[in-house]
Amino acid sequence: MDDEPLWYVAYGSNLYRERFRCYLSGGRPRGGARHYPGCRDPRPARAEASITVPGGIYFGYTSLVWGGGMAFYDPALPGRAAARAYLLTRRQFCDVLSQEMRRDAGADHDLSEAIARGRQRLGPGRYETVLKVGERAGHPMLTFTSPEPHPPNAPTAAYLTMLGNGLREAHGWSAERAAAYLAARPGAHGTWTSTDITALLG
């Protein structure tokens, strides 16, 4: 079961492959304040896919890595969220999840409820609720987010740059399109304009 493949659906800074590599093989992302230990199995994803999922993202809480708001997925928001799916082993997914929950890697989380029912709360923390957002090639597509929406909080320039680069890399968007998408998200809207974010990505 540890090698059973499943898709990790990234919608935030892990859209950017270089940043996500820190979760797999360890390291500190450019502009970030945290060093990640990596997975027990540090191999790259078996496959990748650029996708969208129903709902949207918003920025909330305050990141200990980037400062400012962090991206969270809310399936109840209108529209579709741009994402990138990485095909991992179940063990790799569990280690990525543990690192997002600020726990030590090495726990083989029981994901059966998320896979069977679509939602599973592993704890009260920010990224401790696992959602199933679909299936692809016969494998479940899972992501994680906050258990409930929280008040919006504006993200920092470094974080928006990481997300914008991820959108451009994963979806082939122009800087202007990525900036318009991010500027419209709750938390960024009203603080960041698309012109501001385009300048970051220029």
Side-chain angles (χ1 to χ4, degrees), residues 56 66 81 123 135 164-165 184:
W66 305 99
E135 292 191 358
N165 286 335

Side-chain angles (χ1 to χ4, degrees), residues 100-152:
E100 280 283 28
M101 295 193 297
R102 304 190 75 84
R103 302 180 188 178
D104 293 333
D108 294 320
H109 303 289
D110 178 4
L111 304 171
S112 56
E113 184 178 346
I115 292 172
R117 301 183 181 179
R119 183 182 182 93
Q120 182 172 352
R121 186 168 176 174
L122 298 177
R126 300 171 177 182
Y127 289 113
E128 297 187 2
T129 296
V130 181
L131 302 179
K132 182 181 178 183
V133 295
E135 292 191 358
R136 186 180 182 93
H139 306 305
M141 304 173 72
L142 303 179
T143 193
F144 30 82
T145 188
S146 175
E148 63 273 323
H150 284 265

Side-chain angles (χ1 to χ4, degrees), residues 50-136:
S50 300
I51 62 170
T52 63
V53 292
I57 67 166
Y58 68 95
F59 296 100
Y61 287 111
T62 299
S63 172
L64 298 177
V65 177
W66 305 99
M70 302 177 290
F72 293 95
Y73 171 63
D74 184 352
L77 286 174
R80 297 189 69 86
R84 189 177 211 165
Y86 297 96
L87 188 62
L88 306 178
T89 66
R90 178 186 286 254
R91 175 166 285 181
Q92 284 178 313
F93 179 87
C94 287
D95 285 348
V96 171
L97 177 57
S98 291
Q99 290 174 84
E100 280 283 28
M101 295 193 297
R102 304 190 75 84
R103 302 180 188 178
D104 293 333
D108 294 320
H109 303 289
D110 178 4
L111 304 171
S112 56
E113 184 178 346
I115 292 172
R117 301 183 181 179
R119 183 182 182 93
Q120 182 172 352
R121 186 168 176 174
L122 298 177
R126 300 171 177 182
Y127 289 113
E128 297 187 2
T129 296
V130 181
L131 302 179
K132 182 181 178 183
V133 295
E135 292 191 358
R136 186 180 182 93

Side-chain angles (χ1 to χ4, degrees), residues 8-24 29-30 36 45 47-53 56-59 66 70-73 80-88 96 100 127 141-144 158-174 177-179 181-182 185 201:
Y8 161 50
V9 176
Y11 54 83
S13 59
N14 282 338
L15 282 162
Y16 196 37
R17 189 185 297 114
E18 178 185 310
R19 191 271 190 275
F20 181 56
R21 192 177 297 124
C22 294
Y23 279 92
L24 294 177
R30 287 183 294 172
Y36 294 85
E48 298 178 8
S50 300
I51 62 170
T52 63
V53 292
I57 67 166
Y58 68 95
F59 296 100
W66 305 99
M70 302 177 290
F72 293 95
Y73 171 63
R80 297 189 69 86
R84 189 177 211 165
Y86 297 96
L87 188 62
L88 306 178
V96 171
E100 280 283 28
Y127 289 113
M141 304 173 72
L142 303 179
T143 193
F144 30 82
Y159 190 58
L160 284 173
T161 301
M162 190 68 71
L163 266 69
N165 286 335
L167 289 167
R168 297 182 70 186
E169 180 185 80
H171 289 269
W173 289 0
S174 66
R177 182 175 179 182
Y181 172 83
L182 293 171
R185 303 306 102 195
L201 304 180

